[in-house]
Amino acid sequence: MSFFRFVMCILLVVMAASPAFADEEMVYGPNLLRGNPAVSRYLENDRGIPRYVEGQLSVQPAAKGSEITAAMAYFEANRGAYKMAQPAEELTVSRVSQDDLGMTHVRLRQIYRDIPVIGAELIVHFTPAGELKTVNGAYHPDINLDVTPSVDAAHASEAADIDLRSFFGAGTPQTPELVVFPWEGKYFLAWRTFLISDTPMGRWEYFIDAKTGQVIYKANRIMNANDIGTGYGVMGTARDHIDTDYNGSLYQMIDKTRRAANNPHGHNGQMPSGNDIRTNITTTSLPGTLATDADNVWDVTATQRPAVDGQVYTGLVYDWWLTQFNRNGYNGSGASMLTVVNYSAEGDNNAYWDGSRIVIWSWSSGWRSLAGCPDVIAHEWGHAVTENCSNLIYEKEPGALNESFSDMMGAAFEWAYPDYDTPDWAMGENGRTTGVPFRSMSEPHTYSDPDYYGTTDPYWVDVVGCSPSYYNDYCGVHTNSGVGNKWFFLLSDGGTHHSVTVTGIGPADAIKIAYRANAEYWTSSTDYHEAALATISAANDLDPTGAWANQVYLAWNAVGVSTPGADLVFSYPDGIPTSLTPAVAKTIEVVITGTLGGTLVAGSPTIYYSLNGGAYSSSAMTQLTTIRYRATLPAAECLDRYDFYFSADEATTGTHFDGDSAAAYFAMAAENTTTILTDNFNTDKGWTVSGDATAGTWQRGIPAG
């Protein structure tokens, strides 16, 4: 009975949904990307809109300087896939960049009647030869709003200010922006504004309904973690090179050596004139005052040691970005970098990036200043990089990815500078006097973080139906980061996890992949699945042999983030038998083709079979052509039953199965079969309710349309 109910439900869904999709095709045209042999990777959302497309996406290369035109031509040609009415009116260029590999990246922002749509961004990627190879990001096709606000910007700022004062404290409102805000399945015309405060520290983002003046959503966007001077750092380690500046009477923690035309660190700094790296010391107010010393020997334990480490590590982070990623500071343009230490107005044992500086709090009994943790310093500056690259939204999966990327930055920084602190996969272990860290990237479960994607992991915070707030860590951003952390550890060090074996490529190369994905491929709404595809693309950019990309792919699969890639498709020209002739072997024709760039390994196709529930046996199929094989089931006696399934190897992604021992095909040996009943459910044959079914369970209905 459950089978019939399932069939009826499927028929209802198909009959009800098909006309809508048919109408959309009439308006926009068909989706030419889905199933296109030129597309090697394809991912779409539950609305059917492409989120990630990769392959040979252009007929001819774009000339240098014409990439914007080529990008718009792509969307015009694929209006049906994106359900996009007028690409030229719905997309505006937000940035065009060329990276150090010679690739060009065109970032486009969706607008609705000239108003930006929050979180809707598309990126079009061109190879150095001008070939359009990848398009990724989010687009909203079904917005229908009146864009005339009933509430003006001033009243929206006032509403946000009143709300913030009611539970947090006063903030300074920034100029509001009119936006389209997608939220919980609806679209709102909204005023977006930020309110900044120092004590308590806040950078609150508000979306105020431009029709009603009500608060739609709010969130504190502060991102937390947890002359040459000499001195001592938090851990008591001597620092023999602290970049400072003498003002005629005092030495100040101002580092001008990273400016252009300076080369004391061997890398030709690129900060513009007037910018610098500096460290402030404070107590209960921000930004505090510049750290100073009379003799340039920074050895006052309680106050100066955190400043020593803050200054030294921040300078090294700048050097590392420049030499490893060719990145001039967190914003790519050499912005000044301010570290504030010993902040005590809101508690202890924490650290923040607040949009313009990093702030290290004071410490309590059993703790040290987190300035003594190089991974924490790099983690916080990692948030600054993310804000100026993908700007991942700090909630749900994008927020977890945001936190995870900062942990990647922190760990990789330690491995890059082993002389300053012993590199490891523990985060913030120097903070506690016991050496206990906040998180473990190698073993996330140790600190109640997931190491596998989704609710099968006992520590995963389910983001489905979760409404992000300050009180639930915006749906577990610090917890679910464990999945990305485990991925990065496996990619760096290698290992076997959930039966998937990864060969590590080292943290120095792993962070190059993660950084490139963040800088060039991720958007503000990227989730784990899109992030995985982006890192595969980034790996292929950096290593055209595909060796890195394969390990990236395996590492994501090991943590439960499936990545559509090279695959095999099984088909059966003569069908799959359900009955067998007794005492006669049965042959089955099998055609195995590659998809998404997949390549069948010759001679690998295999059939597995079990007789009457016994142990499975296997035998190689007979090759007929490059893609056509013949499988054989041995002869069976009358009423014997065979369960069977198939496998074949793909050149890069290993063994692929059609079926398995838990979901096998089956066939029985018999002289003939008799059909007892056939019912297509188009006519009423008098079915009645019986057993445990309640009234109405089997009522016949006519689907709409």
Side-chain angles (χ1 to χ4, degrees), residues 28 61 122 125 128 150 180 214 228 258 269 273-274 314-315 319 364 372 381 398 426 435 522 566 574 616 643 654 696:
Y28 304 108
L122 294 159
H125 309 268
S150 303
V180 174
Q214 299 298 307
I228 299 175
R258 270 77 180 182
S273 177
T314 295
D319 297 346
S364 62
W381 286 118
W522 294 349
D574 301 325
Y616 273 89
D643 293 276

Side-chain angles (χ1 to χ4, degrees), residues 303-316:
T303 59
Q304 287 191 346
R305 289 191 176 189
V308 167
D309 280 342
Q311 184 79 348
V312 169
Y313 290 144
T314 295
L316 292 175

Side-chain angles (χ1 to χ4, degrees), residues 15 39 61 87 131 156 215 293 336 428 432 439 473 522 529 629 687 692:
M15 294 171 70
V39 174
E131 297 165 331
V215 175
D293 189 81
S336 291
R432 288 189 177 97
R439 290 182 291 277
D473 194 27
W522 294 349
H529 286 90
Y629 284 77
W687 290 100
D692 295 331

